[in-house]
Amino acid sequence: MEIILKYFKDLTATQIDQFSKLQELYQDWNLKINVVSRKDIDELYLRHVLHSLAIAKVVQFKPGSKVMDVGTGGGFPGIPLAILFPETQFHLVDSIGKKIKVVNEVVAGLGLENVKTTNGRVEEVKDTYDFIVSRAVAQMETFVGWTKGRIAKKQNHDLKNGILYLKGGDLSEELKLYTSATIYDLPDFFDEDFYETKKVVHLGMKYKA
């Protein structure tokens, strides 16, 4: 938990309480349904929670905005972002039912009222969103195809509506179709070695191929 406070100093008492509860909730649910690898559960805040919050170093979601987390798995990055931005609406989507079950239980355990979930494929979601977030669930070209038509046209942020994707490693080949993509290196925000090769990729709505 200290690592969250190191980089996010202005949390409310409610937010600190919710972040603090994550470890126990995930440890408890991971024993029943494995959504976080065994080695990662002990480093939940470093490898999952803070990693999710890297998106908040790129954009501050405004009250009333809508964000969809595609392939949320155990709730990352959606749940940590929902704690940090309580006035933003988050829609967490995953095709695997047992993962959404854990997400629903964690959301209930935290008392989050700004999260809804869908057990299904993103192609079945009919709504539009300011941003679509995810943690490396597919190659960018595949992901763009899945999420086509889901990004709202009305702009509410300085950062153009679009995809915010947590990725790692060399992305030059994967992003060669997307000349307008902006890459944010996580070592610019976080000191820990874990983030050495990790990035947030922003792809604005008008994809330039």
Side-chain angles (χ1 to χ4, degrees), residues 42-133:
D42 293 332
E43 294 194 75
L44 186 78
Y45 290 97
L46 171 69
R47 292 172 175 258
H48 294 282
V49 182
L50 187 62
H51 191 206
S52 299
L53 295 177
I55 287 170
K57 295 295 186 182
V58 173
V59 63
Q60 294 282 300
F61 297 129
K62 293 190 175 175
S65 57
K66 290 164 60 183
V67 177
M68 178 165 62
D69 176 5
V70 174
T72 189
F76 301 103
I79 285 177
L81 290 170
I83 295 173
L84 195 64
F85 298 105
E87 294 181 43
T88 295
Q89 299 302 311
F90 289 86
H91 185 182
L92 278 52
V93 180
D94 204 286
S95 60
I96 300 172
K98 67 180 183 178
K99 291 185 176 179
I100 287 294
K101 177 178 171 54
V102 172
V103 169
N104 286 334
E105 295 294 343
V106 172
V107 166
L110 296 172
L112 289 174
E113 296 181 354
N114 60 329
V115 176
K116 73 173 184 175
T117 63
T118 294
N119 173 208
R121 297 172 60 80
V122 63
E123 295 96 326
E124 298 158 8
V125 175
K126 301 300 181 207
D127 212 346
T128 60
Y129 303 84
D130 297 87
F131 293 98
I132 296 174
V133 300

Side-chain angles (χ1 to χ4, degrees), residues 153-171:
K153 291 185 170 60
K154 188 180 178 216
Q155 291 285 135
N156 296 307
H157 299 75
D158 293 336
L159 195 71
K160 189 180 281 189
N161 290 5
I163 291 167
L164 288 162
Y165 214 18
L166 291 160
K167 298 281 276 183
D170 182 1
L171 303 177

Side-chain angles (χ1 to χ4, degrees), residues 25-36 38 41:
L25 282 166
Y26 277 106
Q27 278 180 324
D28 182 40
W29 275 100
N30 223 46
L31 293 173
K32 304 168 194 169
I33 301 171
N34 190 18
V35 291
V36 177
R38 299 281 184 233
I41 199 75

